[in-house]
Amino acid sequence: MSQSQTGYLTLETGIEVQGEFEDRRSRFIAQLAHVSSEAEANAFIEKVRSRHHDARHNVPAWVLADGRERSSDDGEPSRTAGMPTLEVLHGAGLKDVCCVVTRYFGGTLLGPGGLVRAYTAATQAAVEAAQKADCMVEMTLVTRVVVQIPYSAYDRITRMVADAGGRMRDSVFAEDVQLTCAFRTGDEEAFVAAVTDFANGDDICRVGEPGFAEF
């Protein structure tokens, strides 16, 4: 599996970080936030535009975990602003994020190369700020498994979860015990095989569909 299929990085929900770069008195302020939909991305873009309504440009770029992405040069020369910003997000392995780089014009034209460097540097500064603030989250492809067992098997099964690299998510104690466990996708196969063997061939595991989650 590729990196995009097995996991990605994002920002904690509700967190916004900033990075700044200056070149010949033009200020580039990159504002980076977690978003989980196109609507949330658009809302963040409008929030930044309102905050910096007096700026020459507010350049947006966003990428979602489902593969959708978008960027705009917002009046800058073609491919000198939005695309470099998006490329930094790609390079950092980030998804479900939106970055808006605000430019306050300093009076000197920077040329295409200068603009690419400036928008890239500002976005990189925001990514580094997120890393320093420890507000990045790794999202991994996770498979949940639910297993119904007698009380007498509880300790044995929980050890099997740990041995297979899984984590307990929930335990419901009724007539029997219902355990919900989570595994990095692929690791659940060894657990299911071990439990089936323990149950003398009975299929007592319900395996869910893989999905991205914190592990």
Side-chain angles (χ1 to χ4, degrees):
M1 282 189 173
S2 70
Q3 173 70 13
S4 62
Q5 292 172 309
T6 57
Y8 61 91
L9 294 171
T10 189
L11 259 62
E12 292 176 8
T13 304
I15 296 289
E16 180 187 326
V17 294
Q18 293 190 8
E20 190 166 333
F21 179 78
E22 189 168 324
D23 185 3
R24 283 163 277 182
R25 299 182 65 186
S26 274
R27 286 179 65 209
F28 297 82
I29 307 163
Q31 294 123 117
L32 180 65
H34 172 88
V35 296
S36 56
S37 66
E38 185 172 352
E40 285 186 15
N42 289 336
F44 179 67
I45 292 164
E46 289 310 311
K47 175 181 169 184
V48 173
R49 281 181 174 152
S50 176
R51 179 192 298 163
H52 295 292
H53 58 87
D54 55 338
R56 176 70 69 93
H57 305 280
N58 285 291
V59 169
W62 53 262
V63 56
L64 300 181
D66 63 13
R68 287 181 295 160
E69 60 183 44
R70 191 165 299 162
S71 65
S72 165
D73 293 308
D74 193 41
E76 293 280 33
S78 178
R79 301 180 69 82
T80 63
M83 189 61 71
T85 300
L86 190 62
E87 286 302 318
V88 173
L89 302 182
H90 285 163
L94 285 164
K95 298 190 179 193
D96 280 351
V97 292
C98 179
C99 185
V100 183
V101 184
T102 300
R103 180 189 183 187
Y104 285 95
F105 185 56
T108 302
L109 296 174
L110 303 183
L115 289 174
V116 169
R117 283 192 297 273
Y119 280 99
T120 297
T123 308
Q124 286 173 336
V127 170
E128 288 165 8
Q131 292 167 338
K132 287 178 184 172
D134 198 25
C135 60
M136 280 192 180
V137 177
E138 183 183 0
M139 303 297 280
T140 304
L141 205 53
V142 170
T143 297
R144 289 183 179 246
V145 178
V146 178
V147 57
Q148 201 94 13
I149 55 170
Y151 279 75
S152 59
Y154 179 81
D155 288 342
R156 177 75 181 275
I157 298 297
T158 54
R159 278 200 303 275
M160 287 182 183
V161 173
D163 288 345
R167 295 187 180 178
M168 300 293 302
R169 287 290 186 251
D170 192 30
S171 303
V172 178
F173 298 93
E175 253 182 70
D176 289 324
V177 184
Q178 180 177 287
L179 300 179
T180 301
C181 335
F183 299 86
R184 294 181 189 274
T185 296
D187 290 351
E188 82 282 353
E189 294 171 6
F191 171 74
V192 171
V195 171
T196 302
D197 186 52
F198 174 74
N200 297 317
D202 288 344
D203 185 10
I204 61 172
C205 293
R206 295 202 314 275
V207 181
E209 290 294 320
F212 284 108
E214 285 185 66
F215 185 73

